[in-house]
Amino acid sequence: MIKHRHVHRRGRRSHMAVSYTDPQVSMDLLRAVLQPSFNDDIMAVFRKYHMFFEKAAHNVKENVGDEVHTDQLIKDACRNVLEHAKVLFPESDVKKPSSEVTIKRSRGSEENCSQRGSPVPKKRKNRMSGAMASDRSLNVSAHVKVKCEAIKKEGPKWEPSRLNESSTFVLGSRANKALGMGGTRGRIYIKHADLFKYAADTKDKQWLAERHHMRATGGKMAYLLIEEDVQDLARGDDYKDCPDVKMDEMKPFSVPLWMVEKMQRAMEAQRDTEL
């Protein structure tokens, strides 16, 4: 096991050369040693409940059709069980020690030690350069602020009343791929920041996974976009002549009224806000 202590390096200005061993490293080493035993025990538990998953998967196949892969359904269900088991070990509010700061500080101390015979004189701050840096930061901040103010969430597309049970939606990942941006995950949200997107919660994702609109993602984020908004983008100048656009990738679907109402509340909360 790693002994956690302060490490003082030799050399000039050694009082600044202090690093800390990350406790997570020790715990992860122990986890790696015990992982095979954990896996055996976990598989024993899943074998105990396997018949329930198997019966449910075969029932789904009978109701939906032969295109359903029972083995994949069972695997997805098992992964979902593991994801939901995380609630047994809630994350603490205590911040983890930053290993990045440790590395930077250690590297700086090594550079100091490597130049024992020739100490490097301190650089004096130039008042003029400091003022220029300050002006630059103000200009950047002002530019960012102006850019943010230009993106408004308003107009007919941000009217919650436009959403109803007949509205159709698409997964953000599919819309991203349909518009030819599949190689850059989530680019559609950056390029079109004024586009309404709804973050699906656990109940929403469970409903979507049960109806095969998406795979069980566990704790991963899943966004829904309005199909009409994506179709409008595809007809615009940015995409209408683009060979990478494949709108058949969208696979739109409807959602129940209770999910529509949640989307309406989310749109109301996001409307007329700046990014």
Side-chain angles (χ1 to χ4, degrees):
M1 298 300 293
I2 296 176
K3 184 177 181 181
H4 298 280
R5 59 186 176 84
H6 288 45
V7 180
H8 295 271
R9 299 185 183 274
R10 297 178 181 177
R12 184 180 176 85
R13 296 161 69 182
S14 60
H15 62 282
M16 295 183 63
V18 179
S19 62
Y20 300 88
T21 303
D22 191 344
Q24 296 298 324
V25 175
S26 295
M27 298 306 295
D28 196 55
L29 287 173
L30 177 60
R31 192 265 324 148
V33 172
L34 297 177
Q35 191 68 51
S37 298
F38 270 100
N39 292 347
D40 292 341
D41 293 342
I42 291 171
M43 285 305 299
V45 173
F46 277 116
R47 281 194 289 269
K48 178 180 177 181
Y49 295 98
H50 184 269
M51 63 177 180
F52 297 104
F53 291 119
E54 191 174 22
K55 288 182 179 178
H58 284 296
N59 187 36
V60 171
K61 185 173 183 178
E62 290 179 2
N63 293 330
V64 177
D66 293 336
E67 66 274 10
V68 174
H69 300 286
T70 55
D71 290 341
Q72 188 61 43
L73 278 180
I74 294 172
K75 289 179 181 178
D76 291 341
C78 292
R79 279 196 293 267
N80 206 14
V81 168
L82 292 174
E83 287 290 342
H84 284 76
K86 290 180 180 179
V87 299
L88 299 174
F89 307 97
E91 292 188 9
S92 173
D93 294 334
V94 180
K95 293 183 178 180
K96 296 180 180 179
S98 176
S99 57
E100 182 180 356
V101 174
T102 302
I103 293 171
K104 289 182 179 179
R105 188 177 300 177
S106 299
R107 286 178 180 173
S109 62
E110 288 172 1
E111 291 175 0
N112 291 332
C113 293
S114 64
Q115 300 181 10
R116 291 180 197 169
S118 56
V120 179
K122 292 183 179 179
K123 292 184 179 180
R124 294 183 179 179
K125 291 185 179 179
N126 190 323
R127 293 183 180 179
M128 184 61 68
S129 62
M132 291 174 64
S134 177
D135 292 341
R136 188 190 305 172
S137 63
L138 290 174
N139 291 335
V140 172
S141 300
H143 175 71
V144 173
K145 186 175 182 180
V146 170
K147 185 177 180 181
C148 291
E149 288 176 351
I151 301 173
K152 293 285 186 178
K153 298 177 179 179
E154 58 186 6
K157 288 185 178 295
W158 283 87
E159 286 295 335
S161 58
R162 69 184 288 232
L163 301 179
N164 52 59
E165 284 187 279
S166 62
S167 301
T168 51
F169 304 89
V170 295
L171 289 175
S173 57
R174 289 193 176 277
N176 195 74
K177 188 175 181 181
L179 294 178
M181 297 182 285
T184 307
R185 185 176 181 182
R187 185 182 175 192
I188 188 173
Y189 310 133
I190 300 173
K191 189 174 181 180
H192 304 286
D194 58 339
L195 199 66
F196 170 72
K197 66 178 185 294
Y198 171 72
D201 59 20
T202 303
K203 183 179 179 182
D204 302 330
K205 289 189 286 187
Q206 182 179 354
W207 185 90
L208 292 167
E210 288 174 351
R211 283 149 187 83
H212 307 289
H213 295 309
M214 62 177 288
R215 291 185 177 182
T217 59
K220 293 183 180 179
M221 293 298 296
Y223 292 104
L224 298 184
L225 304 179
I226 303 171
E227 184 198 5
E228 181 184 359
D229 292 349
V230 183
Q231 293 286 1
D232 288 344
L233 288 177
R235 288 188 288 267
D237 295 336
D238 291 342
Y239 301 101
K240 63 180 181 180
D241 297 324
C242 180
D244 295 328
V245 173
K246 299 177 181 179
M247 299 307 290
D248 57 337
E249 294 282 351
M250 294 236 292
K251 303 187 187 327
F253 52 85
S254 300
V255 299
L257 181 59
W258 56 266
M259 195 183 299
V260 173
E261 291 174 347
K262 288 199 291 185
M263 291 185 184
Q264 290 174 335
R265 291 193 292 269
M267 182 179 287
E268 184 69 36
Q270 298 177 38
R271 190 171 57 173
D272 297 330
T273 59
E274 297 176 6
L275 293 181

